Amino acid sequence: MPTARSAAMTHRQRVTGFVLCIATILLAVLDTNIVSAATVPIVSDLDPVHGVDRIPWLIAAYQLAATAALPLYGKLCDLIGAKKVFIGAVATFLAGSALCGMAGSMGWLIVARALQGIGGGGLMSVTMVVLRELRGPEAKDGGKGGKGGSVGGIIAGAGMALGPWLGGALADHADWRWIFYVNLPIGLAVLAAAVKVLKLPARTGRRTIDFLGAGLAAAFSTMLLLVTEWGGKDHAWSSPLIVGLLVATVAALVLFVRRQATAAEPVLPLGLFRIRELRYGFAIQGLVGAAMMGSMVYVMIYLQVVRGIAASSAGLYLIPMAIGMTAVGLLSDKLAAAGWSQKTFVLSGTACASAALALLATLSTGTSLWTVRAALLLMGVGFGQLIGQLIQLVQDTAPAEQLGVATTGVRFFQTLGGALGAALFGTVLSRVYAARGPGGTTSTMGRLTGHAHQQALDAFVTSTNVVFWAATGVMLLATVLATRLPSRREPEPKPEQADANTAEFTTAQQPTEPLTPLHR
């Protein structure tokens, strides 16, 4: 029978472990968007003739690999312990980073980026498991927000502001390869310190790994992401390729659910969905992922297409959103001390995000750009309350022996929600523009002049308004689901009342304490 063993950690070791987690999360957030700022110099160096056509694969390779690896990471944390999985994820990420920096062709870079993504899939999710185990079982505070919310908001805000700027600066003033090489000294320091300092609960005993279930989850998520990436853009929704992928995606999902119902050690136990907080937490996180895709991507498109702002300057408009997320991160502990429960945070966060999206839905060709900044600031306040609190809610509620699969499950649903949101909003934008525009697609707008160009701009603004109203509806649905969360987490059963395995696991743990969406 598997058990958990842990060695006591000193206060200094805990602080060091916390710093390691911060550095790792920052690496993960930065690497999701740092490459998009350097695609031009990369293509010019590696393949100036055909490289532009392969940029979508360069961007998508990381996200596809990271998403596919998530379910297996969670299960491995529960089976062999978070420390070993954390070290393995960081090592894989560093190997991929080094190979990316040494790439001699676009094909090499895409493959290396996928390897980096496999490691990157664990940087955020496994690190959140490590943070929880550093805090320990006593961190379950009865439903109040805490460090998870502050860390999530601060790091997400900092990464959002620094990522595009750092990528552009390295590409312009150094060499694009340093976008990947810069990970190595930080990552190696994290790796060495983790081996020496982290003393987390270790698992003993033999348990099988459901590789078939992990493979089906990877196949389902990969095909779904490809459908949302290609459908309606590179290939028509009715094309044989997209229809075939949709059929295969549904088949993989059915087989995955069936496997989870029968496997001895499922990678995403269906029993988790019987817990109300987890069921609604997963659903809300998926909706948040969809709405975040709609807000960030289409605000950037509006600024560039309608207002004529350069891509590098448009990225600066995300700074108010980052400020909002960081401010919430800094204030969340004080709000929790004042009595805010996790339900309060989630309700407030979804309401703020809904209001921000509704404000964005009123944009026109002449709207003050300060209105855009104000909406993004409010958006940051909303999402800042959601990112950390939903993860903490799930971690507080999940059975101790399933902490890993519950944590990675949140990230998995957020990614899939973002992919579905991208497909939904992209289709809405194309359909509305086709009905209101002067003819052609949005990609032909730059070649129009005179009245036709103005008509195209008006049609495009109308299209983005509809997209933001759709995103508002998504967030309002998340708000409704948030009302179903309990105001306070139910007290946990006493050890003598709990299942023998759970009691054994929990008792052994007592000495310790604790986009992106596809870029286009």
Side-chain angles (χ1 to χ4, degrees), residues 251-268:
L253 176 60
V254 172
L255 292 173
F256 172 69
V257 173
R258 181 177 179 182
R259 176 65 181 177
Q260 299 315 285
T262 58
E265 294 288 347
V267 294
L268 186 61

Side-chain angles (χ1 to χ4, degrees), residues 22 25-30 32-33 124 148-166 292 296 315-330 376-377 379-388 515:
I22 296 299
I25 293 174
L26 187 58
L27 275 179
V29 174
L30 288 175
T32 58
N33 55 20
M124 179 69 80
S150 60
V151 171
I154 294 171
I155 300 302
M160 186 179 300
L162 289 175
W165 173 83
L166 181 60
M292 284 186 71
M296 295 175 64
L316 298 177
Y317 281 78
L318 291 179
I319 291 178
M321 186 172 179
I323 291 174
M325 298 176 77
T326 304
V328 168
L330 293 172
L376 289 174
L377 177 64
M379 184 77 66
V381 172
F383 286 145
Q385 295 178 76
L386 295 169
I387 290 177
L515 338 205

